[in-house]
Amino acid sequence: MKISTAFLFDRATSQMSTVQNRLAKAQAQMAQGKQVITPSDAPDQASTIARMKGILEKQNSYLDALNSARNRYQSEETALSNVNSALIRMREITIQAANDTMGPADRQALAIEMAGLRDQVMSLANTQDENGLYIFAGSRVKEPAFAVASNGEFVYQGDQSTMNILVGDQRTVQLNRSGADAFQRVVRQDVDGNNYGVGFFQAMDDMVNAVKNSDREAMNRGVGEMDNLQIGIGLALAQIGTDMNVLDSQQTVLEETNLRLKTTLSDVEDLDYAEAITKMNKEMLALEAAQSSFAKISQLNLFNYIN
Amino acid sequence: MSDLLSISSTAVMAYQRALGTVSNNIANVGTEGYSRQDVALTANTPSKQGNVYLGNGVRFAGVQRQVDDFVQSNLRNSQSELATQEPMVSYANRVIDIMGGESTGLTSALNQFFDASRDLSADPASGIQRANFLAKSDNVTSRFRELAGQLGNIDDETRQAIEVKVTQLNTLVAQLALVNKQLAKAVSADKQPPELLDQRDRVLQQISALSRITTKFDAKGAVSVSLGDSMQSGLVLEAGFAKPLNVKFSDNADGKVDLVIDLYGKNPKGLASLGSGEVGGLLAFREQVLTPARNALDDLAKTFVSEVNAIHRDSLDAYGNPGGDLFALDGSLVHVSQGMTVALDDPLKIAAASQFRVIESPFNPSPVDAVVSYAAPTPRLPADISVGLSNNPNLAAAKPISIGASQPFAMLTSIGAGTTDAVVYLDDLQAGQQVQVLTREGVHVLGSELTFEAQDMILRQNYGFEANALYSTGYLNQTDELAYRKSDLFLGAKAMPAFGQVFDDAGAPMDGIPLEASLTTARLSALITGDETGQVIAEGALTLNGQSLGALVAKGDVLQATEVAAWLRSTNVPGLTVEASNEIVVPSTQLKLSSSLQLNTASGQRATITAPAGGFASAAALVEAINAARFTSGVEASLNPEGDLVLQNVAQFAGEHITIGPNDLGGAPDNALGLSAGAVAGQITLTRSLADPKDNEIRMALGTNGTAVDLQTIGLRMGVYVQGQASDSYLVMVQGEGTLKAAASYTASTLDPKQALRNEPFDITFVADDRYTITDKNTGTVLSTRAFDPNALPAEVSYRGITLAFTSAPLQGDVFTVDGNHDGVGNNEGALRLVALENMRVVAGGKTLSEAYIQEVSDVGNIAQQALVAKDALTVVHDQAVEARDAISGVSLDEEAAALIRFQQAYQASAKVMQTASTLFDAILRVN
């Protein structure tokens, strides 16, 4: 079969440019370290890569949610453990005040210290986060959780709503503790024998007044109630501790998932340097061979031999 | 003569031409589309000398163009096929780069939006998080717009490319027409100049790169070209006439393209499609990749916007108002995703809280948690008053209802919550029929207590009652502070002060002047008799403004209106005046002035008013005559402004029966008035003064042993009155066999039930493990007492569309409060619902939003991949076709060099022969 001169040249040129294209692509891949530089390089892989990147982003956002939950727990824990210390001190004072050897004047001094502690605990119960929102107020976060009404009563101004957030595809954690849950009420019996609840701060206030007025019965009652108040705070702290453990284990899970996803993504997207360099060498060899063979063959012409 | 000289001269000329042809080939070695020209040498016809044929040398027969038509057409076809794939590959790759790229694609923007809602759910009251969420929402919309814009750019580019290529096609076809004209000059294809045929083939090749063509060559080598598969459809070139192709793009979302051949000519024909070639490839790209991608993007935008907006509207913003739309689409655009924007700019208007809130009381014995959700309740039977009864209180418009023995009660209507000033009139009730009004929760508010059998029969779900609700009579017939939700409900006959319409100088309505409450009975029946003691209505059967009325006794044979008036007056209700009256109005046309008349009241004497001879002169004369006898009869007459005759009692007998005579003759009235003979009873009007603004109504209710028949006896209509806006649905039913009529007047409800419910917080209190009550917090009314199954899973309570789902069955003493969350800014349930949208399968085909988008990218990717593979395969085919053509038509320098030498040697040999002939001739010439 005859090969025309034009065909000979055209064919050689197009083949050389094909090899050059492959070389250029290999060089670009190696410079960026990726096998798939633009989605059009591997159109069938483009959707897989997009999906995996999406899942990775979602895991990262769960990690962010975890961190904000952890910050919240830590501020609640700090506040509650300070409350606990104050309550312990208050209990000491109460027992000291209940002692018969104390005189009314001494008790007045103790009552002043107790009042100070009560106010400290109240300000801890009204802790604010970095945005100025009250963390123990349930969902009524713009107002302090506990306040003193005009008639001197201690009222809880928040509500009992609990907020949950997602920290994993199927995992929710409770973000807040409402003031009513953390600062639990105590139960007293009225004259008919019926139980009725008395708020946390009201009980503390009653205690302070009892010491101030040297009311023996109320002071004895107050000692028992102080124990109950501490139990309530202790329970809340335990719950926070448990939740923080949950966060930690969830973080481990998320980080492992992240690693797995990144590995899979890298398999698809990243370049295997050893393979790429070998391929590049092969292409370079092919290009050199094509170029030199073309140089030799193109010079063969019958006219060179006809003088 | 076949001699040396002539033979060699033919040879020399032939070989000279052959050399010329070979040098032509060599010169055109690089010419595009050139077909090698071969030399055709034939021997000259021999001449006969005696018995011998002597040859006459060689003749240059002509130049043969080396071409194989089949190979040429094969090459054209494979070129078309290859050219189809190129635009598909390059544009599809561009689309993938745009859609799948991280900074241009939608996936990362959607993910960031949902991440921002996750962050918002962790801290919804924070201004920073809200601003961040708003920024990310804006990001999503701008990414949608970008994408749509980029795809729109590709649309414009491909459109322009197609138009340019079609113009090129038309130009080439026009060139071919000129070539055809040139070809027409020669006689046959063999005689055509080869360069012209080469040009024809070259143009055909260029055309086939743009579109696949079918060709037909005629005897002279002129070609007919068709763009379709056969010569019948799509003919663009015939002999010397070229028809241009026209392409038109539609602006709709379907992106259709119309191809017309010879649009402005005599006979335009549509072309279905262009299958291959560059133009075909561009059209296929638009149809298979671009248009579906744009439509999928628009559908995704519509779904995204509608889902997010639905969730946003269901939630509460930081101002305490229900959220509006978060995103907006510009409906006027063909591709809506180009006009997607954020509809808010105030971060406080982002709705992250839920519209309802449930609070477990801190004193609950059990640690049960509750989750509240709202779904609009489906309307239940009986039909609402605005649907079932027309707003017309007149008796004539009343709806007849009949109650049979098999089901001795009928649920008439339900007065829906929000209906204002509703009254249901029940007329023509029979003895034994009772009117009852209950709420859907089985709380009986008006009527008389139901027996156990009746409760069992009536309080069922299919009659409109709540399934587990228990019957309660705690609010039965109570008023004021003790009434159900402190509403004003009344069963009986009621009249309130009305307000006359007053207009100020400008004609605008002002507050009305109150008019006294006034209740007028219908005309009593003239034949009411009592029982053996003359008692018509028993003692205590009716009450007037709370005071029980004594027995109504008919002193005479029949009951007179005056007796009823006196009986009503006996209650001494402050400010109440009762008047009995009897007025008969006779239209002047009804008067029979020729007849006589007998009149008397019950206490009067029968007076005969005789007609004078020739009858009464006029109605006025009749009036005079009646009045003349009034002292006897007790009946006086007058003419009213319309000319009608009005009969009434004389003042001291006001309200008594008026008897008219003489008797009817043959069934027809035979008296001057034209009325049927007999007694006509009066009616009673009660009026209450406005002296006491708090107590200025007239209320006539049933007593402990009264029935509706008693009210109807004295001409009053039984009605169910709901004053003000109805707070709940009230079911009106009638118990007892018989027939009745129902009419109504009301102002229909315009309430949004969800927002109304948000303003009515209620408590759910578990009084026992298997029973709970629902109490309205605003009024303290117990709305419902229901049975609860602690073993049923899931543990749920529903009320008016709100569903409370408990983590486990609550215990006795648990209290849950549900309210409209007016101040719970830190509530994050709305944001959580937005987060959940990420994984919800809202796109048709069961896909989430991200999955739908990635599916689209993957589809485009597959098409691009297929095009790439096809292109590789077709390149090989095309190369082979080129090779085949070149094998036949291509110029090989080596071959030409060899031919050159051959012809050169032949030329030299022939020249040598000429020289020999000349030598021989010289030899002959030297012979002397």
Side-chain angles (χ1 to χ4, degrees), chain B residues 68-81:
Chain B
D68 183 341
D69 281 332
F70 176 71
V71 167
Q72 286 280 55
S73 93
N74 202 22
L75 176 61
R76 280 198 292 273
N77 288 341
S78 68
Q79 169 126 31
S80 299
E81 297 291 323

Side-chain angles (χ1 to χ4, degrees), chain A residues 11 61 140 159-160 185, chain B residues 118 357 359 363 823 883:
Chain A
R11 180 86 85 102
S61 118
R140 293 205 186 110
D159 66 4
Q160 285 84 32
R185 83 244 179 287
Chain B
R118 251 190 293 277
R357 167 174 63 178
I359 299 175
F363 305 123
D823 55 6
E883 210 176 310

Side-chain angles (χ1 to χ4, degrees), chain A residues 1-7 11 38-40 43-44 46-47 50-51 53-54 57-58 61-62 64 68 129-131 133 139-142 159-161 163-166 169 175 180 185 197 300-303 306, chain B residues 26 29 36 93 96-97 100 102 108 111 115 118 121-123 125-126 128 357 359-360 362-363 823-828 832 835 838-839 854 858 861 865 882-883 886-887 890-895 897-898 901:
Chain A
M1 200 183 73
K2 184 180 74 181
I3 305 273
S4 72
T5 314
F7 184 72
R11 180 86 85 102
T38 54
S40 54
D44 45 350
S47 56
R51 191 184 9 246
K53 282 193 177 152
E57 265 188 62
K58 195 157 55 156
S61 118
Y62 285 138
D64 287 339
S68 57
D129 66 6
E130 65 270 9
N131 291 317
L133 304 169
S139 72
R140 293 205 186 110
V141 291
K142 296 252 191 239
D159 66 4
Q160 285 84 32
S161 305
M163 260 78 71
N164 299 320
I165 56 168
L166 274 175
D169 272 334
L175 195 57
R185 83 244 179 287
L300 290 175
N301 200 331
L302 198 47
F303 282 103
I306 305 176
Chain B
I26 294 175
V29 70
R36 188 171 158 272
N93 279 344
I96 281 209
D97 279 342
E102 221 176 302
S108 58
N111 286 341
D115 288 347
R118 251 190 293 277
S121 75
D123 202 355
S126 148
I128 301 172
R357 167 174 63 178
I359 299 175
E360 300 96 15
F363 305 123
D823 55 6
V825 185
N827 186 299
N828 69 347
L832 281 179
V835 170
E838 190 176 14
N839 293 329
I854 288 179
S858 162
Q865 189 71 354
V882 169
E883 210 176 310
D886 267 3
V891 172
S892 166
L893 284 179
D894 292 340
E895 195 186 358
I901 294 174

Side-chain angles (χ1 to χ4, degrees), chain B residues 345-379:
Chain B
D345 52 4
D346 181 3
L348 290 176
K349 286 218 180 119
I350 296 175
S354 78
Q355 293 198 1
F356 289 99
R357 167 174 63 178
V358 63
I359 299 175
E360 300 96 15
S361 161
F363 305 123
N364 279 357
S366 80
V368 166
D369 278 334
V371 173
V372 67
S373 57
Y374 178 82
T378 48

Side-chain angles (χ1 to χ4, degrees), chain A:
Chain A
M1 200 183 73
K2 184 180 74 181
I3 305 273
S4 72
T5 314
F7 184 72
L8 184 75
F9 279 86
D10 283 341
R11 180 86 85 102
T13 331
S14 75
Q15 280 173 343
M16 271 193 286
S17 79
T18 310
V19 178
Q20 274 177 339
N21 273 340
R22 287 208 289 264
L23 256 181
K25 185 158 168 212
Q27 195 257 340
Q29 280 178 336
M30 284 199 291
Q32 295 203 20
K34 281 200 190 326
Q35 214 166 335
V36 180
I37 300 173
T38 54
S40 54
D41 289 340
D44 45 350
Q45 306 276 31
S47 56
T48 315
I49 293 175
R51 191 184 9 246
M52 276 199 283
K53 282 193 177 152
I55 299 179
L56 259 178
E57 265 188 62
K58 195 157 55 156
Q59 306 302 319
N60 284 336
S61 118
Y62 285 138
L63 280 171
D64 287 339
L66 259 181
N67 282 335
S68 57
R70 190 176 287 122
N71 288 342
R72 172 89 183 218
Y73 288 158
Q74 271 166 359
S75 45
E76 283 188 11
E77 190 180 27
T78 313
L80 286 178
S81 45
N82 285 338
V83 166
N84 209 18
S85 320
L87 281 179
I88 292 174
R89 174 75 192 126
M90 242 182 137
R91 192 166 181 281
E92 278 174 18
I93 301 177
T94 314
I95 294 178
Q96 196 183 353
N99 196 333
D100 277 333
T101 59
M102 287 253 132
D106 301 321
R107 291 214 181 92
Q108 293 279 7
L110 288 175
I112 292 173
E113 190 182 347
M114 283 180 79
L117 281 171
R118 177 204 65 205
D119 291 337
Q120 184 191 355
V121 171
M122 181 120 147
S123 77
L124 281 169
N126 287 335
T127 312
Q128 291 173 300
D129 66 6
E130 65 270 9
N131 291 317
L133 304 169
Y134 295 92
I135 59 177
F136 286 116
S139 72
R140 293 205 186 110
V141 291
K142 296 252 191 239
E143 288 174 16
F146 292 93
V148 183
S150 48
N151 60 357
E153 254 189 67
F154 288 82
V155 288
Y156 174 56
Q157 291 186 136
D159 66 4
Q160 285 84 32
S161 305
T162 51
M163 260 78 71
N164 299 320
I165 56 168
L166 274 175
V167 289
D169 272 334
Q170 309 291 338
R171 199 98 174 81
T172 27
V173 290
Q174 182 177 325
L175 195 57
N176 70 326
R177 258 137 287 282
S178 72
D181 287 337
F183 300 90
Q184 282 183 6
R185 83 244 179 287
V186 294
V187 178
R188 287 188 194 157
Q189 274 201 338
D190 65 4
V191 291
D192 300 323
N194 294 332
N195 290 338
Y196 68 100
V198 171
F200 186 94
F201 290 97
Q202 191 62 44
M204 281 179 95
D205 194 44
D206 289 345
M207 190 64 231
V208 171
N209 288 336
V211 170
K212 202 174 352 171
N213 303 331
S214 299
D215 181 348
R216 158 123 300 164
E217 196 189 308
M219 277 196 286
N220 286 338
R221 182 188 66 191
V223 171
E225 285 181 350
M226 205 57 59
D227 282 339
N228 286 341
L229 294 180
Q230 265 189 292
I231 290 174
I233 299 285
L235 274 176
L237 275 171
Q239 198 185 31
I240 292 177
T242 314
D243 282 341
M244 285 183 84
N245 283 342
V246 166
L247 288 187
D248 284 337
S249 68
Q250 183 64 16
Q251 176 140 7
T252 316
V253 168
L254 283 176
E255 282 173 353
E256 274 177 28
T257 313
N258 256 3
L259 185 60
R260 195 166 29 88
L261 281 171
K262 281 188 183 154
T263 311
T264 313
L265 185 61
S266 157
D267 279 343
V268 176
E269 205 186 24
D270 288 343
L271 190 63
D272 180 354
Y273 271 97
E275 192 188 324
I277 291 177
T278 314
K279 212 161 114 181
M280 191 192 77
N281 280 335
K282 194 175 72 164
E283 299 292 342
M284 277 172 61
L285 184 62
L287 184 61
E288 282 176 24
Q291 285 170 337
S292 63
S293 62
F294 175 72
K296 291 212 166 84
I297 295 172
S298 61
Q299 285 174 7
L300 290 175
N301 200 331
L302 198 47
F303 282 103
N304 295 342
Y305 299 99
I306 305 176
N307 53 351

